Amino acid sequence: MIGDISNDVFIRIQTDLLVVGDSVMTDRHHASNGNYEDDDPQNQIGGIIPAFPLSGWLRHGMERAVHECGGTACHPGEANANFIKDDVYDRDLDAGYHEKGACTNDPKEDDGCVIFDLFGGFNSVPGKVMRRPIKFNPVRSGVDYTRGQAEGHYRRLNRNIVSRNQEDNREPLRNAEIDAVANLDGCWHLSFREMKPEFIGLLAKSVNFLDAHKTDFMHQLGGARNFGAGIVDCDLINPLYEERELKRVFDRGKSNTNKMDEKDDQWAEEYRPAFVNALEQRIEER
Ligand SMILES: [Zn+2]
């Protein structure tokens, strides 16, 4: 069954507003010809959302899915690191985590827990899932969903911190500029270096989890959660779809073909349960 699944899998991501702490990389320098005004709504610039915040968001969802199956997950921090908050780290270890790499004696021989297997551990051990950045473009027709791209509108937001003294008449104390992407809708492309049924089972379960918990502070994406940014609708695009079917998902003028509906039924009734079962078995064996 796993042979029917390509190593390239796509997650649909939709959010009204995203602010990522690492900031968004834009191509405005190319597009603006030196005349870029960041508050001009006419500016049509695209950019890249780096994979780091996306990866952390997904990993956290995957860790929770492992917990739901009764397992513990690799902690993301090196066990021998000098944590600022050692007691908080110890509390994590009591709450469904084990020390990073404690699940394997020799990472070259033994894959460890499923989180270790996917995300890798130490320098020479790469994870088996490669997380890519999302390239976004404000012009829908320029978006290639099959390459993990999205429609999205870049804005630079300004925040003024003003004086609270009446006589200052709201004089600004400081000004902060924030990169934001609005109305993001597209695909996040994950590539598996090696495919295993439990990987897809875990991905399917965690994407469901993240979608169901999208308004929880813990499971929003990026760094402006107090302001309603980073509430993400997410959905694993049926891995049985072919490229043209994936494109059709984003075509507002078209609905599912009969073949797509058939694949959705197959996915829900046969594939997904088999992959989730493989995940549960792997976790039980530990
Ligand atoms: Zn582990």
Side-chain angles (χ1 to χ4, degrees):
M1 275 179 117
I2 194 67
D4 299 335
I5 309 291
S6 144
N7 284 25
D8 296 296
V9 178
F10 297 87
I11 298 172
R12 184 174 191 175
I13 288 195
Q14 291 173 276
T15 179
D16 295 337
L17 184 64
L18 182 63
V19 177
V20 292
D22 308 286
S23 91
V24 170
M25 282 168 271
T26 64
D27 58 12
R28 65 172 174 253
H29 302 297
H30 307 291
S32 64
N33 196 22
N35 300 316
Y36 174 72
E37 300 286 343
D38 57 22
D39 55 358
D40 181 356
Q42 291 300 314
N43 70 55
Q44 300 227 318
I45 54 178
I48 290 172
I49 299 162
F52 305 104
L54 293 159
S55 175
W57 168 77
L58 176 67
R59 177 174 177 145
H60 200 177
M62 286 184 158
E63 292 164 2
R64 283 302 145 96
V66 167
H67 294 158
E68 281 185 346
C69 296
T72 61
C74 255
H75 198 276
E78 304 289 345
N80 59 0
N82 186 11
F83 289 108
I84 306 166
K85 297 186 173 176
D86 263 333
D87 53 329
V88 178
Y89 175 65
D90 288 340
R91 225 164 54 208
D92 279 358
L93 296 183
D94 293 336
Y97 291 85
H98 52 258
E99 282 184 7
K100 181 176 187 175
C103 47
T104 173
N105 288 322
D106 176 5
K108 296 228 153 83
E109 299 289 323
D110 162 15
D111 296 329
C113 71
V114 65
I115 296 289
F116 189 88
D117 205 3
L118 282 171
F119 289 86
F122 310 103
N123 295 338
S124 56
V125 187
K128 297 204 174 81
V129 62
M130 188 162 73
R131 291 84 74 195
R132 293 168 190 262
I134 296 178
K135 195 172 176 201
F136 65 89
N137 188 324
V139 183
R140 193 179 182 81
S141 56
V143 178
D144 185 351
Y145 297 100
T146 66
R147 293 186 59 207
Q149 299 183 358
E151 181 183 357
H153 302 265
Y154 170 80
R155 290 288 179 273
R156 174 160 285 179
L157 309 178
N158 284 287
R159 292 167 70 196
N160 277 315
I161 316 294
V162 300
S163 168
R164 262 55 180 168
N165 283 305
Q166 188 114 45
E167 62 267 29
D168 291 340
N169 203 18
R170 290 181 59 80
E171 185 182 338
L173 293 174
R174 65 183 287 266
N175 172 269
E177 291 181 333
I178 301 168
D179 287 332
V181 185
N183 301 321
L184 187 77
D185 182 10
C187 282
W188 185 29
H189 181 185
L190 299 173
S191 300
F192 289 86
R193 294 190 170 93
E194 184 190 328
M195 188 51 98
K196 296 180 185 176
E198 62 266 33
F199 289 167
I200 297 293
L202 181 57
L203 184 63
K205 256 181 94 72
S206 58
V207 169
N208 273 152
F209 179 91
L210 288 166
D211 194 61
H213 293 83
K214 61 188 148 207
T215 56
D216 290 2
F217 188 80
M218 293 295 281
H219 296 289
Q220 288 169 40
L221 174 60
R225 305 171 187 205
N226 279 326
F227 305 99
I231 297 171
V232 174
D233 292 313
C234 56
D235 186 28
L236 176 63
I237 294 181
N238 191 338
L240 300 172
Y241 284 175
E242 285 162 34
E243 259 191 25
R244 60 190 155 77
E245 293 168 327
L246 183 145
K247 279 186 195 154
R248 204 176 167 101
V249 171
F250 294 92
D251 190 333
R252 285 174 188 156
K254 292 177 182 162
S255 56
N256 272 13
T257 60
N258 290 341
K259 187 77 193 158
M260 287 166 78
D261 286 339
E262 219 171 273
K263 286 184 178 180
D264 286 353
D265 290 344
Q266 266 186 320
W267 173 253
E269 285 159 24
E270 299 166 40
Y271 286 82
R272 191 185 190 281
F275 296 153
V276 168
N277 195 19
L279 172 69
E280 287 166 349
Q281 271 185 5
R282 174 157 176 181
I283 289 172
E284 232 168 70
E285 280 164 13
R286 290 259 140 208

